[in-house]
């Protein structure tokens, strides 16, 4: 693993925008615009490195499924902050029926510097983003800058194949809707959903397009409807389950939830059982089940324990995105137990390449390793100001 600088392509911004990345710049607090898509540098991997990382990712995914089974079997929903019995029952039912429910993708965030074993930082299993840039612009960048080279990137082909394979699990009667929240001003959620919709269409599926805010509730039929009052029988949503089960329509979501077997009226993708994997409590449960595993970091739910005096720790809210609410506590500092439920994970500072802290986003499609996206940040926490850099296998 090596970071190399390179001159950006002339007209790179227009190029990546035409390839679907309509948010190539990030606005900073000083109102300046700086590249989010950053091709002034790239990362180089060897093929053996990538093959080893693929094995790690697939092993981690299997361990996460085992942890999900443990949570359901031992009724440990409270550890995940799921205290509503109806929500817990819906998640457990979805888990038991998971073979009947479409589930497409997820993203592991890994700490890796090219020398020691990769370490799991978290699993974004419900609403992962940065898919567009990982699947499309970085592939075309490689073809233009390094023709004949390779890349850890079979995302597009695998997504199309996944939709084809899982189309039989979709209920009849209407298109598969693709929904995003219009509250996202950058357009990242919209373009992620648009890209996934495109892969579904290439797989031959009939699709629809809607924002979460446009989904209506028809009191007469007791069903969710689109803007033309057509029933929404199935819907891919880039909208977290913890919001879907707590907002003003949560009761209707649970009342009409299709967990397979045709017993409900709306099937949501990703399915409700992904709440078991998209929660930071998963990290602590994994450490319980697989202590001292080389790809895990010690993690706890009841406080930092020995981490406060030995390695330092990171406190992560159980639910959160892009580093929101994450705090770093150096070794020897007085231990702090947060008021909100958190996971306390061993501090493993992100490796720095030329002063840039890097995290690997390893994608899985249908549980198999499918691609890599790399983000850099100036600080230890990867937040909304992180930059995306392409990679190549040489």
């Amino acid at each position: 693993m090596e970071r190399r600088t390179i001159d950006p392509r002339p007209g790179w911004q227009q190029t990546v925008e035409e390839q679907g990345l309509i948010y190539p710049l990030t606005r900073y607090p000083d109102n300046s615009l700086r590249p989010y898509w950053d091709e002034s540098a790239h990362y180089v991997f060897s093929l053996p490195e990538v093959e080893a990382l693929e094995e790690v990712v697939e092993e981690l995914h299997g361990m996460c499924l085992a942890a999900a089974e443990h949570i359901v079997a031992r009724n440990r929903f409270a550890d995940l902050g799921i205290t509503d019995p109806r929500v817990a029952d819906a998640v457990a039912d979805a888990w038991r029926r998971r073979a009947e429910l479409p589930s497409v993708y997820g993203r592991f965030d890994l700490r890796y510097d090219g020398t020691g074993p990769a370490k799991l930082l978290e699993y974004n299993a419900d609403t992962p983003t940065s898919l567009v840039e990982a699947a499309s612009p970085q592939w075309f960048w490689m073809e233009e800058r390094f023709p004949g080279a390779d890349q850890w990137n079979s995302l597009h082909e695998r997504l199309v194949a996944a939709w084809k394979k899982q189309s039989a699990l979709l209920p009849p009667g209407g298109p598969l809707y693709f929904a995003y929240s219009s509250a996202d001003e950058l357009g990242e959620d919209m373009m992620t959903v648009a890209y996934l919709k495109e892969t579904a269409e290439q797989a031959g599926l009939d699709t629809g397009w809607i924002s979460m805010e446009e989904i209506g509730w028809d009191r007469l039929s007791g069903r969710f409807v689109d803007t033309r009052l057509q029933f929404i029988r199935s819907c891919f949503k880039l909208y977290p389950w913890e919001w879907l089960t707590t907002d003003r329509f949560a009761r209707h979501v649970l009342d009409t939830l299709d967990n397979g077997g045709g017993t409900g009226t709306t099937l949501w993708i990703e399915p409700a059982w992904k709440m078991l994997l998209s929660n930071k409590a998963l990290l602590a449960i994994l450490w319980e089940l697989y202590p001292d595993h080389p790809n895990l970091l010690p993690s706890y739910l009841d406080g930092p324990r020995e981490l406060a005096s030995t390695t330092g720790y990171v406190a992560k809210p159980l639910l959160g995105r892009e580093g929101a609410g994450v705090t770093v506590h150096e070794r020897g500092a007085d231990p702090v137990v947060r008021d909100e439920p958190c996971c306390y994970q061993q501090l493993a500072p992100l490796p720095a390449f030329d002063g840039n802290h890097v995290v690997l986003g390893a994608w899985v499609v249908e549980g198999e390793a499918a691609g890599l996206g790399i983000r850099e940040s100036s600080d230890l926490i990867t937040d909304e100001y992180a930059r995306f850099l392409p990679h190549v296998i040489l």
Side-chain angles (χ1 to χ4, degrees):
M1 180 179 177
E2 182 182 350
R3 187 184 195 270
R4 298 180 183 175
T5 58
I6 191 172
D7 291 332
R9 295 167 296 175
W12 65 267
Q13 182 175 341
Q14 180 180 351
T15 297
V16 298
E17 286 179 347
E18 290 173 351
Q19 293 165 353
L21 192 67
I22 65 170
Y23 42 93
L25 304 175
T26 298
R27 186 173 299 278
Y28 280 68
D30 62 3
N31 214 34
S32 64
L33 288 172
R34 307 177 202 175
Y36 163 65
W37 168 269
D38 186 355
E39 58 177 72
S40 65
H42 62 280
Y43 282 84
V44 177
F45 295 83
S46 68
L47 182 58
E49 273 185 306
V50 169
E51 290 175 338
L53 286 169
E54 287 180 326
E55 290 182 5
V56 167
V57 167
E58 294 186 3
E59 181 180 2
L60 285 172
H61 181 72
M63 291 160 57
C64 289
L65 295 182
E69 174 64 31
H70 170 84
I71 294 167
V72 173
R74 301 294 179 89
N75 193 24
R76 296 189 61 178
F77 293 100
D79 286 337
L80 279 65
I82 300 176
T83 57
D84 185 332
R86 292 198 67 200
V87 175
D89 288 345
V91 173
D93 186 49
W95 171 253
R96 297 184 186 105
R97 292 175 173 265
R98 62 190 179 279
E100 305 167 41
L101 302 174
S103 176
V104 182
Y105 73 145
R107 190 192 78 228
F108 285 98
D109 284 349
L110 305 174
R111 184 205 182 278
Y112 181 70
D113 62 5
T115 58
K119 300 288 187 179
L120 173 62
L121 298 175
E122 60 185 68
Y123 190 10
N124 300 277
D126 183 18
T127 57
T129 50
S130 76
L131 178 66
V132 175
E133 45 269 49
S136 180
Q138 77 161 340
W139 179 263
F140 293 121
W141 167 89
M142 179 202 66
E143 289 189 323
E144 184 174 341
R145 300 309 300 264
F146 298 94
D150 201 359
Q151 191 175 83
W152 183 7
N153 191 356
S154 58
L155 277 165
H156 188 85
E157 297 83 354
R158 286 178 180 267
L159 287 167
V160 174
W163 289 121
K164 285 182 179 179
K165 179 180 177 182
Q166 301 199 38
S167 61
L169 301 177
L170 298 174
L176 169 61
Y177 288 83
F178 283 78
Y180 66 98
S181 174
S182 59
D184 173 36
E185 298 178 353
L186 294 177
E188 181 178 9
D189 288 2
M190 179 185 70
M191 290 309 299
T192 300
V193 167
Y195 173 68
L196 284 163
K197 181 175 183 291
E198 178 185 341
T199 61
E201 290 171 351
Q202 290 184 20
L205 273 63
D206 179 21
T207 67
W209 177 258
I210 197 169
S211 74
M212 293 298 297
E213 290 78 6
E214 290 175 326
I215 295 176
W217 176 255
D218 181 18
R219 292 189 180 92
L220 292 178
S221 64
R223 302 179 77 169
F224 288 109
V225 295
D226 66 12
T227 55
R228 297 177 298 166
L229 300 182
Q230 301 297 308
F231 295 149
I232 296 177
R233 191 64 187 87
S234 58
C235 183
F236 173 92
K237 86 290 180 291
L238 201 67
Y239 193 78
W241 269 103
E242 64 265 23
W243 296 357
L244 202 62
T245 55
T246 56
D247 69 14
R248 58 182 295 207
F249 290 101
R251 176 172 60 86
H252 301 316
V253 170
L254 296 173
D255 286 343
T256 62
L257 181 60
D258 185 346
N259 265 345
T263 57
T265 60
T266 302
L267 181 147
W268 299 93
I269 308 169
E270 294 289 317
W273 66 261
K274 282 297 190 79
M275 291 183 75
L276 301 169
L277 305 186
S278 60
N279 190 300
K280 304 300 188 299
L282 173 72
L283 302 169
I285 293 171
L286 282 170
W287 186 250
E288 288 180 29
L289 299 178
Y290 304 96
D292 300 320
H293 190 283
N295 301 121
L296 298 178
L297 293 167
S299 303
Y300 309 107
L301 294 176
D302 57 356
R305 300 191 190 180
E306 79 283 353
L307 304 178
S309 60
T310 56
T311 61
Y313 62 96
V314 178
K316 299 181 176 182
L318 299 188
L319 301 169
R321 285 157 186 81
E322 295 188 331
V326 174
T327 54
V328 177
H329 305 262
E330 299 288 347
R331 180 181 64 181
D334 291 337
V336 176
V337 177
R338 301 262 293 269
D339 290 336
E340 64 179 319
C342 285
C343 175
Y344 301 85
Q345 186 180 55
Q346 177 182 308
L347 175 60
L350 294 176
F353 290 78
D354 300 331
N356 302 282
H357 299 282
V358 61
V359 62
L360 304 190
W363 291 89
V364 294
V365 176
E366 290 193 305
E368 296 183 356
L372 175 67
I374 300 175
R375 288 170 295 157
E376 281 186 348
S377 56
S378 301
D379 301 315
L380 290 179
I381 298 174
T382 305
D383 57 18
E384 68 268 27
Y385 301 111
R387 305 171 296 280
F388 187 96
L389 276 73
H391 78 276
V392 66
I393 300 173
L394 294 177

